[in-house]
Amino acid sequence: MTGPSPERPRGRQKRSRSGGSRAAQGLLGLAAMVLTAAGPATPVLPRPAHLTMGTGRIRVGAGARIAVPAGDAGAMNAARRMAEIVARIRGLALTVVEGGDGVIRLERSGKALPGDERYRLDVAAAGIRIAAASDTGLLYGAMTLAQLLTPDARFGSGVTVQAMTIEDAPRFAWRGVMLDVARHMQPIASIERVIDMMAQAKLNRLQLHLTDDQGWRIEIKRYPDLTGIGAWRDAGGSRYGGFYTQDELRALVTYAAARGVTIVPEIDLPGHAQAAIAAHPEVGVLGDRPPVSGDWGINPYLFDVTDPSLDFVRNVLDEVMAIFPSPYIHIGGDEALKDQWRASPAVQARMKALGIADEERLQSWFVEQLGQHLARHGRRLIGWDEILEGGLPASASVMSWRGEKGAIEAANMGHDVVLSPGPVLYFDNLQSARGDEPPGRMKYQTLADVYAYDPLPREIAASKAHHVLGAQANLWAEYMVTPEQREHALFPRLAALAEMTWSPAGTRDWPDFLSRLDPQMNRYVRQGVAVADSAFAVDFTVIGGVGQALRGPRVSVAMARQAPYGTIRYTTDGSAPTARSRAYAAPVTVRSGTVLRAADFAPDGRPLAAFRAFDTTPAALLTRSSAELVPCPGPGILLRLPLTRDATGNGPAHSMNIFNPCWTYKAAPLDQVDGIAVTIGRLPRNFALRQEQREQVVWRYTPSHFGALIVHGGGCDGPALASTPLPDPSRSANRFTLSAPLSRSPSESDLCLTIAPPVGGPLYGIDTVRLTMKDRQ
């Protein structure tokens, strides 16, 4: 077993101011050895299990033939997928032929075993050969060759491939991604694009979170109200929702299967059931009909434990199984608040009749009923790690999201597990603290953090390690509405997940990974993926602080990026930086008012990120975006929120603790300013908080009817330097700016900004804070 090696970069870069599974046995004893030729790294990601460089090379040009055995549908599929990818990325047209000869040949080799994903790729001057026993092995060999044929950003030309032999197989059998389509539904085309990228990275499980309190997204013909009612919610005066028909989902299953991806459906229960109970209150506990929830968090509605309620769920699962051939069916099991069960005399009587001591064991019994039903149909139950509470049914596998504890406990008990721990594999966590990140959770998980994670905890006994099926990244969608926002969150971190789950333990190398990620970033762009450039984006830091910079005619600025790859180049004349611009080597001193523009460039001169600009005018130096403010310490949930709950564009976003509307503006030069302007967003307070969380929400005394903005100097316990009332919500826009004079202070100090709405009033977030300089006359 291996954990993250100490030299791997786990920590986040300091943000600066800126505008075995059983599949392990399939390695067949191959040494985890990579031999590379002199020159650039072989552009294959994830890193193969065994790669040996040879002598000689082969040129593959336009019209080169890919030959597949006659009548071999699996080989034909793999060849066509490869040809499509190479044409899209390289502009190189390859011809697929059935039978006969080709520069590239796909062949069957050996007998395919269940779950067999092995392949061999031989590149020689005489030709290229991909050999595998299974359809999936041929597909993965073709995906590797597609990368070798797209090693750089050139377009419309042939490519020379160095001779080599690759013998490859995955470390883990489960290499997964979860998409939450319940909170915000996604177009089928956007899910297909994720599947395409998964296949190219040899990821093979796509979990679809199809039901939750906020929406039921799968058509169930026996119960049409599940989508007629449960798929739609009120969104602040408008209607939000939708669902996938069974025909659409079957087509998606077929699409995924052709790319080696199994879709695992999730029907969340017994909790996260409010949308279902809104449609069918008879399967709820109390008999009431709630609305489909528009609140994020944990709602109290549970499925009842009566026989009719269980029959309802079994009928739903029957239709789910008819759509999805996946061996595993995910039943959720997470965050099921037991209050309704505790409050129901009927449920308590049912527990007594069954001899069940408490509600946790009742959930275990509930899950076991479903596990038995799935087993009768040849399927296996998997659920989130809460299904451990009250005793784990013998048939269950566990997906561990609350850290690794659930996986460790379950694996050591002899249950199969998938590692999916937050925060590192929760891809709705932001990748940086930059102000241009989209909405999401603020437990920042950089590309380096994800790459450093190892999904085989040391606490799992060596004799139980085979119960670790693999790992999965989860993308929850409360705060992500558009396909572009989701792709930004997924890519390129999915490349790190792919290497984590495919490549042999002990072979990960961060600098080498970055060199192989370089051409992969180009592949993403050429295929229209909204890939994040956060790892390569340039951040700026004022040397000596803003106060010092304001006192003189010149400003010194340092530049950095998260990933130590490429060369930062910059300009000071207002032009966009190019590969010929000046290379950054040390902090740059410029005249006050200069706008620096900088970007990270790959060795081939291609920009790895969009250029970022840094304005050194006094007004810009005194302006802080929401992301540059520090939420005040204390309990809460740190989120970056859009202005409206279902915003479809990349509008203003507000970084905040939703329990406490309080921020710190660090090191404000109070001796040089005399005014403040704060742009504020009025946001929906749509959070389903547990009782203990509600008690942690901070409500401050407000001196005005609709609330107030109050600014303190020297921290939140310091004197009030400015205050201004909030406008009437019924007569003002949901985004507005408040200005006030700022009391004089003799020195630099932190500012504490608090917004105090009336108790139960709206949630307010800060967009920007602008300090205004004193008149120097």
Side-chain angles (χ1 to χ4, degrees):
M1 288 182 284
T2 62
S5 63
E7 69 274 14
R8 294 183 191 137
R10 282 197 64 86
R12 292 180 289 278
Q13 298 285 336
K14 180 180 178 182
R15 189 195 179 269
S16 52
R17 187 169 185 271
S18 65
S21 70
R22 297 181 180 89
Q25 301 170 9
L27 295 176
L28 301 179
L30 298 176
M33 173 177 62
V34 177
L35 306 176
T36 57
T42 302
V44 177
L45 199 160
R47 179 197 287 254
H50 186 102
L51 184 154
T52 304
M53 300 306 297
T55 57
R57 60 195 64 188
I58 185 172
R59 180 75 175 174
V60 178
R65 302 199 333 164
I66 308 171
V68 302
D72 192 329
M76 179 62 74
N77 173 66
R80 286 175 174 167
R81 296 280 87 79
M82 174 173 59
E84 290 170 1
I85 292 166
V86 173
R88 191 179 309 130
I89 298 172
R90 186 78 177 187
L92 181 61
L94 304 176
T95 302
V96 180
V97 297
E98 193 170 13
D101 293 326
V103 173
I104 301 166
R105 291 178 294 121
L106 275 65
E107 299 177 357
R108 296 289 178 172
S109 175
K111 181 180 179 181
L113 301 173
D116 191 350
E117 298 174 301
R118 296 169 297 167
Y119 70 91
R120 178 182 174 111
L121 172 63
D122 293 294
V123 180
I128 300 172
R129 173 179 174 267
I130 298 170
S134 69
D135 289 352
T136 305
L138 287 176
L139 177 69
Y140 288 159
M143 295 300 96
T144 295
L145 182 54
Q147 292 187 3
L148 293 174
L149 297 176
T150 57
D152 51 46
R154 294 185 180 92
F155 191 82
S157 63
V159 60
T160 299
V161 185
Q162 177 72 30
M164 68 183 74
T165 296
I166 291 174
E167 295 177 276
D168 207 4
R171 180 186 179 196
F172 292 108
W174 190 298
R175 305 179 301 280
V177 179
M178 188 282 293
L179 294 181
D180 172 8
V181 295
R183 273 59 175 265
H184 283 111
M185 192 173 168
Q186 290 297 289
I188 289 288
S190 72
I191 301 175
E192 289 176 343
R193 187 158 58 246
V194 172
I195 292 170
D196 289 341
M197 296 305 106
M198 289 177 63
Q200 292 174 36
K202 304 180 180 71
L203 297 167
N204 66 351
R205 297 288 190 279
L206 175 62
Q207 179 180 331
L208 289 182
H209 183 75
L210 290 164
T211 71
D212 214 298
D213 298 308
Q214 297 81 17
W216 185 281
R217 305 287 175 227
I218 175 173
E219 177 190 24
I220 302 297
K221 294 184 182 296
R222 184 162 181 163
Y223 303 114
D225 282 351
L226 282 172
T227 48
I229 296 173
W232 306 93
R233 66 173 182 257
D234 176 73
S238 62
R239 190 170 181 245
Y240 179 88
F243 64 94
Y244 305 107
T245 68
Q246 293 193 3
D247 287 343
E248 287 175 323
L249 290 171
R250 286 193 179 93
L252 188 65
V253 166
T254 300
Y255 186 93
R259 290 153 180 81
V261 174
T262 298
I263 297 182
V264 179
E266 180 189 355
I267 306 298
D268 207 346
L269 43 87
H272 288 286
Q274 187 163 328
I277 295 169
H280 287 274
E282 70 275 10
V283 301
V285 177
L286 303 180
D288 62 322
R289 185 191 291 272
V292 177
S293 180
D295 294 340
W296 312 132
I298 307 173
N299 289 274
Y301 283 88
L302 302 177
F303 279 98
D304 204 351
V305 293
T306 62
D307 289 337
S309 178
L310 282 165
D311 287 342
F312 176 94
V313 175
R314 293 185 186 104
N315 292 335
V316 168
L317 292 177
D318 287 345
E319 294 197 31
V320 170
M321 287 187 284
I323 300 168
F324 298 96
S326 166
Y328 287 90
I329 303 295
H330 204 299
I331 56 84
D334 61 311
E335 298 177 328
L337 302 179
K338 307 301 190 298
D339 301 85
Q340 289 192 344
W341 283 354
R342 293 190 185 100
S344 168
V347 170
Q348 295 301 308
R350 177 78 157 165
M351 286 172 54
K352 185 176 180 180
L354 292 169
I356 294 174
D358 56 42
E359 289 75 18
E360 282 67 33
R361 288 180 175 83
L362 181 63
Q363 176 167 328
S364 178
W365 172 85
F366 186 94
V367 169
E368 177 62 19
Q369 307 312 301
L370 305 181
Q372 291 174 4
H373 182 73
L374 294 175
R376 286 193 290 270
H377 291 78
R379 308 297 183 93
R380 297 186 63 184
L381 179 149
I382 189 168
W384 303 110
D385 57 57
E386 284 95 332
I387 65 174
L388 279 162
E389 298 168 2
L392 188 62
S395 60
S397 300
V398 171
M399 190 170 281
S400 186
W401 72 275
R402 296 179 298 177
E404 296 177 334
K405 182 176 181 295
I408 294 167
E409 181 180 346
N412 285 332
M413 291 167 56
H415 292 269
D416 288 344
V417 300
V418 175
L419 274 294
S420 191
V424 68
L425 292 185
Y426 266 44
F427 282 9
D428 48 326
N429 282 313
L430 301 179
Q431 297 170 73
S432 78
R434 295 185 51 82
D436 52 14
E437 289 283 348
R441 300 177 189 270
M442 290 172 56
K443 291 183 178 179
Y444 305 110
Q445 300 300 311
T446 67
L447 180 65
D449 291 329
V450 176
Y451 189 75
Y453 178 68
D454 189 271
L456 190 56
R458 292 183 176 91
E459 295 86 349
I460 294 177
S463 62
K464 304 292 186 180
H466 65 279
H467 285 295
V468 178
L469 300 179
Q472 177 171 292
N474 297 327
L475 185 61
W476 300 103
E478 294 96 331
Y479 316 110
M480 296 183 185
V481 182
T482 68
E484 292 75 20
Q485 289 171 341
R486 297 193 189 212
E487 289 175 6
H488 179 99
L490 288 170
F491 306 104
R493 290 187 292 188
L494 276 193
L497 175 77
E499 188 136 313
M500 171 205 310
T501 53
W502 179 277
S503 304
T507 64
R508 272 181 281 169
D509 182 304
W510 174 240
D512 180 64
F513 170 77
L514 292 176
S515 70
R516 289 178 287 114
L517 182 63
D518 175 354
Q520 182 60 39
M521 294 292 284
N522 177 66
R523 296 181 192 116
Y524 289 138
V525 172
R526 288 274 171 86
Q527 295 178 90
V529 175
V531 59
D533 64 2
S534 307
F536 304 103
V538 175
D539 283 320
F540 304 85
T541 303
V542 176
I543 302 298
V546 170
Q548 177 178 313
L550 293 173
R551 293 187 178 92
R554 304 186 74 79
V555 181
S556 293
V557 180
M559 305 179 210
R561 75 287 203 211
Q562 288 180 2
Y565 181 79
T567 302
I568 296 175
R569 298 185 180 275
Y570 68 94
T571 63
T572 58
D573 61 1
S575 63
T578 70
R580 295 184 178 182
S581 298
R582 184 177 303 176
Y584 174 81
V588 177
T589 300
V590 296
R591 186 173 297 276
S592 177
T594 300
V595 176
L596 286 159
R597 290 175 171 84
D600 195 22
F601 286 85
D604 66 358
R606 192 181 77 262
L608 292 165
F611 78 78
R612 266 60 172 191
F614 187 77
D615 188 345
T616 65
T617 60
L621 293 177
L622 289 169
T623 299
R624 301 278 174 92
S625 71
S626 173
E628 294 170 297
L629 304 175
V630 180
C632 297
I637 300 173
L638 297 176
L639 298 173
R640 185 163 170 80
L641 295 173
L643 192 58
T644 59
R645 72 183 75 177
D646 300 312
T648 56
N650 291 321
H654 308 80
S655 299
M656 61 190 304
N657 179 351
I658 64 169
F659 288 14
N660 185 7
C662 176
W663 300 261
T664 299
Y665 183 125
K666 290 286 188 180
L670 299 182
D671 55 337
Q672 301 182 66
V673 300
D674 61 5
I676 186 170
V678 183
T679 300
I680 295 171
R682 187 186 303 111
L683 315 178
R685 192 181 289 276
N686 62 318
F687 300 99
L689 302 179
R690 299 188 296 272
Q691 181 60 39
E692 62 271 21
Q693 292 176 317
R694 292 174 186 162
E695 294 170 356
Q696 295 173 338
V697 174
V698 176
W699 297 103
R700 294 178 174 83
Y701 169 75
T702 176
S704 62
H705 184 67
F706 299 112
L709 166 69
I710 303 174
V711 182
H712 294 264
C716 296
D717 295 326
L721 303 183
S723 65
T724 183
L726 299 178
D728 181 350
S730 67
R731 298 185 178 182
S732 59
N734 63 352
R735 187 168 184 259
F736 53 89
T737 299
L738 301 178
S739 300
L742 202 60
S743 297
R744 293 178 178 269
S745 181
S747 63
E748 183 175 276
S749 176
D750 290 348
L751 288 180
C752 172
L753 297 92
T754 61
I755 299 178
V759 174
L763 183 69
Y764 289 94
I766 290 179
D767 185 338
T768 54
V769 177
R770 299 176 179 85
L771 303 182
T772 54
M773 290 193 69
K774 297 175 182 178
D775 188 346
R776 295 189 175 184
Q777 292 182 351

